[in-house]
Amino acid sequence: MAIFLDSANHDEIREAIASGFVAGITTNPALLVAAGTVGLEALQPLCELVPGRVFYQLTTGDLNAMLLESQAAVAISPSQVVLKVPCSWDGLRVVARLSLELPCAMTAVFSPAQAYLAREAGARYVIPYLNRSTRLMGDGVALISAIAQVLNGNHCGGTEILAASIKSPTEAVAALNAGAQHLALPLEVIHEMARHPLSEMAIQEFRRLTQ
Ligand code: G3P
C-alpha cells in the first residue's frame, strides 16, 4: 500500500516527501498546468524533488506518438518514471507493448471491463477516478469495488488499484475498503486525514499536565 501525492506543485511535493510516509507523486496534464508547467519539461525537476515514483501521464494520442513520448519520459529517470496511459484502444496497445519492460498505469478507468483489458495488457496499476465517477455516474466506491472483484476475484493478481480523484478522508477510506491498494491524494486531504478534534483535545489535555 502506498500514498502518492496527486500534485505537481513543488512546495506541496517538498512538504509531502518530508513527511516520510508519501511514496511519490502522481501527475496529469491539468496538475502540470496548475503548477505552471506542461508536458515533458516538467518531469526532470519533479524527478529531482521526489526520491520515489513519479507518475507521468502521456499527452499524445496515437500509438506511435505515445510510444515516442513514453521513451522520452522514461529516459529522464528510468528508475522513477511510471507511465500513466489514458484508457483507449491505442492506450491499451501502448501498455501491451511497454509493460514487460516498464511499470505502466492505465488511467481514466471508468469500468471493470476496461480494468480487465488493462490487466491483460500488463498494466501494473489501474487508476479509477472515485469522486469524478460519483459525480458523473453515481457511485465511485462501487466502481472501485467492481474493479477489485474483476482484478482479484479470480486470483490473477499483479495489477493493483490506485484510486484517484479523492476529495475527502471519507472517500480515501472508502476506496481502501472497496479494494484499492494505493491512493493518489491532494495534500489537503492528507492533512485532513491526520486531524481529529478528539486527538487535538487529548493533545491539549496532556500538554496542560506537563506545563
Ligand atoms: O489524477 C487523476 C485524478 O486525481 C483527477 O481528479 O479531480 O480531476 O477528478 P479530478
Side-chain angles (χ1 to χ4, degrees):
M1 274 200 192
I3 298 173
F4 297 96
L5 177 71
D6 202 24
S7 174
N9 178 291
H10 288 201
D11 291 336
E12 292 183 359
I13 292 169
R14 282 189 199 94
E15 185 179 342
I17 295 302
S19 74
F21 57 80
V22 171
I25 64 166
T26 47
T27 69
N28 63 35
L31 292 172
L32 295 185
V33 168
T37 183
V38 284
L40 285 168
E41 75 181 37
L43 201 47
Q44 179 74 44
L46 292 176
C47 289
E48 283 165 15
L49 274 178
V50 177
R53 293 197 152 179
V54 175
F55 286 70
Y56 172 79
Q57 185 165 326
L58 300 182
T59 57
T60 47
D62 68 76
L63 180 69
N64 290 329
M66 282 195 276
L67 290 171
L68 285 173
E69 190 183 359
S70 299
Q71 272 177 0
V74 170
I76 289 171
S77 185
S79 62
Q80 284 182 284
V81 173
V82 180
L83 297 170
K84 259 178 106 182
V85 186
C87 192
S88 67
W89 187 257
D90 277 346
L92 284 159
R93 293 171 74 202
V94 168
V95 172
R97 294 259 187 116
L98 301 179
S99 60
L100 279 180
E101 292 156 35
L102 304 168
C104 294
M106 186 110 264
T107 194
V109 169
F110 285 92
S111 76
Q114 289 180 314
Y116 168 71
L117 292 182
R119 186 190 76 189
E120 292 305 301
R124 173 87 172 75
Y125 306 92
V126 294
I127 306 184
Y129 294 175
L130 193 162
N131 185 275
R132 197 186 291 207
S133 298
T134 299
R135 278 184 278 127
L136 302 179
M137 303 194 304
D139 192 344
V141 177
L143 170 66
I144 292 175
S145 185
I147 290 173
Q149 248 183 298
V150 162
L151 296 183
N152 306 319
N154 47 12
H155 307 293
C156 292
T159 303
E160 296 179 335
I161 299 173
L162 167 52
S165 184
I166 291 173
K167 312 295 181 196
S168 68
T170 305
E171 285 187 343
V173 172
L176 295 171
N177 286 336
Q181 282 89 3
H182 314 284
L183 300 177
L185 299 171
L187 187 59
E188 74 224 39
V189 173
I190 303 176
H191 276 301
E192 228 184 304
M193 289 168 78
R195 286 193 295 265
H196 193 287
L198 293 180
S199 305
E200 269 313 305
M201 206 185 284
I203 289 165
Q204 295 304 332
E205 187 186 319
F206 293 130
R207 195 166 288 157
R208 273 197 300 275
L209 290 172
T210 54
Q211 277 169 355

